Amino acid sequence: MKKQWFMLLLASALLCTATALAQPALVKKNGSTHFEIDGKPFVMFTGELHNSTSTSESYMKEIGVWEQMKKANFNTVIASCSWDVIEREAGKYDFTSVDHVIKNARENGLKVVMIWFASWKNSASTYAPSYIKRNHEKYPLVKNAEGKFLNILSAFGENSKNADKKAYEALMRHIREIDPDHTVIMMQVENEMGILGSIRDFSDLAEKAWKGQVPEDLINYLVAHKGKLFPELEKVWKVNGYKTKGTWEEVFGKSHSNTEDWKEYPYYTEEIFQAYYYAKYVGEITAAGKAAHNIPMYVNNWLKQPGMGAPGGFPSGSPLPEVIDVWRAAAPAVDFTAPDIYMPEYKWVLSQFALSENPIFIPECRTDIAKALYAYGEYDALGFAPFGFDGPQAVGMGAGGASNEDFANLGKCYGLLSGMGTMLTDNYNSDKMRGVLVTDDDQSPTVEMGDYIITFKSTASMRAFDYGQGAEQLAAENAALAARARTTQSGALIIQTGADEFYIVGINAIISFAAKDSKATGRVLYDTIEEGVFKDGKWIAGRNLNGDENRPNITGVGAKRIVVYKSKVNAAASRWE
Ligand code: DGJ
């Protein structure tokens, strides 16, 4: 009998361990962050629904969005949960709007990243339940410098925070109960928070904190991370004498308002101050949610960009790279911060967000496959998501709903990448995997891989193949090509699998190989070029490309396997190589 009990206990202990292992988690390995579900690597191929879509099951069915995602090879959907919908009556929670998303995702073999639209959405507080919106005494708003209230809950509002926290905790408890198989794999807490319309909060509570001391937890963090802080934070702390005590202006200095260069940090002390109190508020909510159901949780950003000047022009306090340390100090439960990228400076944004080992996840972007490939290949991105791919685009939102062609390309691209199995994650943080993006500022990016330098150009710059058709005909063919040319979306993800073997998934890319040491080794020629797809991590070759097609270029979206060799063949003498 005793033995049986022991076996039973052992079995349940093993079961518990298995369940614990199954939890979606961010795992640091070999200098990169891996996202794992059930202990297996998972890369998100996803898109974000329009804000109101997931509030109605019938609407989602009506627009056929589940079929749309399956057809486009999504493995994850980013859907939202609205606080005002789940808590129409104070303290009473109705999770119908969450349940149908989880049920339908599960039935369609998709995972869910769920956004908690709560105290803040694009700075404002329109998603707070009615009982909060109508009681500003109890749930205070931000005040600007002129003493006017803005429609933004103040991060100093204890009652607002507690109500948000209670609802979020209830949501996470509910998800834990109904979702043992982890259909919901990640949470976004709030959406693009921060103050628009004022450099900081000037409400009475905020004023008191502004005149008070910099809190100890932030000071302790600064001391522990001295020398490794975001450069501007390090600079202002240093310039002001590395103080470990004092008011915000004593420790970080009096702000300047120079807005000439949008990449500068005007009103930085105000931004640091505001970031700290947003982080405190959201950090507490996140920690409570994790205590109920421990899955990864992140925050996202409306970015600082040209024309937006000082904080207030962009959301002040938002978890931007320049205040990532402040967020880490005050909100340790938040796993990472993510950029919503609609601005052209895509590469710069990623370089900033990748500082301090912050993993890259792009929850909102335009439907641009080249950008997706660049993020996966160059930054080990956990995921990439075009915003608002479903249904018609709301008027005036400017998010760039997907055209049919772009969306079809996205589907092809996700199909190719998901067929690669663990090829992406096996190559995280390795120079065997790279991403390239052709931009207006960088029209022929190159990557060095092994013995080779690979150059990419957009097919928009393609010239007709000279097969001896004569100058006039050649000019006509070039004119036709120019007319068809696309100027946008050109990029690739490259994986090197042998000294001379490369797989390239790309879009609209003219690709050329050169030897690093061309003097010694001669020209690079193509041994074999295949086009194909991947299935379960294996290459399935399609056409073998030779003759007129003996070039590795990718027009449209596609994948190629390219084996090169170095030859001493003289260029002038060899026209048909
Ligand atoms: C950014 C927001 O985060 C999204 O929810 C959505 O409102 C888009 N902007 C619309 O452009």
Side-chain angles (χ1 to χ4, degrees):
M1 192 62 188
K2 249 189 180 168
K3 197 171 167 201
Q4 269 172 359
W5 268 112
F6 175 74
M7 293 308 282
L8 206 65
L9 275 175
L10 187 70
S12 43
L14 284 174
L15 205 67
C16 286
T17 319
T19 317
L21 276 178
Q23 216 57 356
L26 294 165
V27 184
K28 284 239 176 217
K29 269 191 224 167
N30 311 324
S32 195
T33 303
H34 292 238
F35 180 40
E36 295 185 351
I37 304 177
D38 298 333
K40 294 194 198 88
F42 190 82
V43 180
M44 290 177 271
F45 303 117
T46 181
E48 182 170 325
L49 297 171
H50 278 298
N51 300 156
S52 313
T53 301
S54 52
T55 57
S56 163
E57 179 172 23
S58 57
Y59 176 78
M60 288 185 81
K61 291 214 165 134
E62 203 178 292
I63 62 168
V65 72
W66 295 108
E67 292 76 24
Q68 187 191 0
M69 288 187 277
K70 266 181 29 187
K71 209 167 144 207
N73 299 304
F74 279 39
N75 61 12
T76 304
V77 55
I78 307 181
S80 45
C81 167
S82 306
W83 186 13
D84 61 338
V85 174
I86 65 155
E87 193 182 355
R88 291 202 194 273
E89 226 183 292
K92 292 204 175 129
Y93 305 110
D94 173 357
F95 294 111
T96 318
S97 61
V98 172
D99 294 349
H100 79 84
V101 173
I102 299 178
K103 177 179 79 102
N104 283 296
R106 192 178 286 139
E107 279 169 18
N108 284 283
L110 289 161
K111 299 286 185 190
V112 178
V113 171
M114 192 162 279
I115 304 176
W116 175 232
F117 279 157
S119 290
W120 300 293
K121 152 83 172 75
N122 300 29
S123 175
S125 298
T126 59
Y127 278 85
S130 192
Y131 73 89
I132 289 187
K133 280 183 194 159
R134 289 162 184 265
N135 189 347
H136 297 153
E137 293 293 313
K138 190 164 175 194
Y139 307 103
L141 298 177
V142 168
K143 234 190 212 178
N144 68 13
E146 290 78 48
K148 285 213 176 89
F149 285 113
L150 306 178
N151 184 24
I152 307 170
L153 285 171
S154 169
F156 295 91
E158 276 293 305
N159 292 329
S160 324
K161 180 189 68 192
N162 289 336
D164 187 329
K165 183 167 80 176
K166 223 171 123 205
Y168 187 61
E169 225 178 347
L171 168 67
M172 294 317 295
R173 222 177 298 121
H174 178 75
I175 294 178
R176 187 190 64 207
E177 276 156 21
I178 65 154
D179 190 33
D181 63 348
H182 301 303
T183 295
V184 179
I185 52 175
M186 206 180 262
M187 296 297 297
Q188 178 186 302
V189 191
E190 313 291 342
N191 188 84
E192 294 190 351
M193 71 199 104
I195 299 172
L196 281 178
S198 180
I199 48 171
R200 67 168 174 88
D201 189 352
F202 290 85
S203 64
D204 295 349
L205 288 168
E207 281 298 277
K208 197 168 160 229
W210 175 252
K211 286 180 193 130
Q213 298 283 297
V214 174
E216 224 176 87
D217 55 353
L218 178 53
I219 296 284
N220 291 344
Y221 179 99
L222 296 178
V223 171
H225 295 83
K226 192 171 169 183
K228 286 180 276 177
L229 299 169
F230 184 84
E232 186 68 11
L233 184 63
E234 190 85 46
K235 190 177 105 191
V236 295
W237 189 35
K238 180 177 174 188
V239 168
N240 290 287
Y242 284 130
K243 289 198 187 77
T244 52
K245 227 191 242 151
T247 63
W248 296 89
E249 290 192 315
E250 282 163 359
V251 175
F252 302 110
K254 272 205 180 296
S255 282
H256 68 86
S257 58
N258 175 11
T259 55
E260 300 262 296
D261 177 357
W262 68 273
K263 286 185 181 166
E264 277 204 0
Y265 306 95
Y267 295 109
Y268 192 42
T269 301
E270 282 81 352
E271 198 184 341
I272 295 170
F273 164 81
Q274 204 54 70
Y276 177 82
Y277 287 102
Y278 267 102
K280 269 305 212 205
Y281 186 113
V282 173
E284 207 178 305
I285 293 169
T286 309
K290 278 195 169 177
H293 186 40
N294 189 11
I295 59 175
M297 298 185 186
Y298 70 94
V299 285
N300 71 332
N301 288 269
W302 169 317
L303 298 174
K304 166 175 170 170
Q305 49 204 290
M308 287 187 174
F314 61 89
S316 179
S318 182
L320 287 163
E322 66 247 36
V323 286
I324 193 170
D325 295 299
V326 180
W327 268 82
R328 283 187 174 162
V334 171
D335 289 300
F336 63 89
T337 178
D340 296 343
I341 320 181
Y342 297 100
M343 60 197 275
E345 291 82 358
Y346 185 80
K347 289 185 183 177
W348 180 79
V349 171
L350 291 189
S351 70
Q352 296 295 294
F353 273 80
L355 291 173
S356 350
E357 295 179 23
N358 181 60
I360 294 296
F361 175 55
I362 304 154
E364 290 183 42
C365 198
R366 295 181 196 281
T367 311
D368 184 331
I369 284 77
K371 288 187 175 144
L373 291 169
Y374 179 71
Y376 289 120
E378 198 66 355
Y379 283 96
D380 304 342
L382 308 176
F384 171 91
F387 175 81
F389 63 89
D390 59 305
Q393 190 188 342
V395 179
M397 286 208 317
S403 75
N404 288 343
E405 189 193 345
D406 289 342
F407 196 73
N409 281 341
L410 181 74
K412 267 194 209 164
C413 176
Y414 281 176
L416 286 166
L417 296 178
S418 47
M420 291 173 100
T422 60
M423 273 175 92
L424 295 183
T425 49
D426 289 347
N427 283 291
Y428 272 9
N429 200 26
S430 141
D431 54 10
K432 299 261 180 293
M433 179 166 83
R434 299 294 306 268
V436 285
L437 178 66
V438 180
T439 62
D440 286 346
D441 299 340
D442 189 6
Q443 298 194 7
S444 51
T446 59
V447 287
E448 291 194 11
M449 300 181 86
D451 292 344
Y452 299 96
I453 300 169
I454 318 174
T455 303
F456 293 78
K457 286 192 181 144
S458 165
T459 43
S461 65
M462 186 129 83
R463 291 294 162 262
F465 181 44
D466 179 2
Y467 51 88
Q469 66 270 59
E472 215 173 297
Q473 174 67 14
L474 188 63
E477 286 174 17
N478 275 329
L481 271 179
R484 274 208 332 249
R486 297 196 52 156
T487 48
T488 53
Q489 301 207 20
S490 170
L493 177 149
I494 312 112
I495 295 184
Q496 182 175 15
T497 46
D500 302 316
E501 186 188 63
F502 299 83
Y503 288 88
I504 302 187
V505 179
I507 176 165
N508 302 330
I510 301 178
I511 305 159
S512 54
F513 282 76
K516 257 194 207 156
D517 184 359
S518 56
K519 281 209 179 93
T521 54
R523 300 181 61 202
V524 174
L525 298 174
Y526 303 108
D527 183 340
T528 44
I529 305 175
E530 292 166 356
E531 63 183 7
V533 293
F534 300 90
K535 196 160 186 273
D536 302 328
K538 299 235 154 46
W539 176 247
I540 316 276
R543 284 190 303 166
N544 187 73
L545 302 174
N546 210 333
D548 291 349
E549 290 80 46
N550 184 231
R551 55 206 62 243
N553 303 343
I554 297 178
T555 39
V557 185
K560 291 204 165 154
R561 173 177 171 270
I562 300 153
V563 184
V564 287
Y565 68 97
K566 295 163 210 122
S567 155
K568 299 273 182 197
V569 174
N570 177 326
S574 163
R575 194 166 159 220
W576 295 103
E577 79 277 21

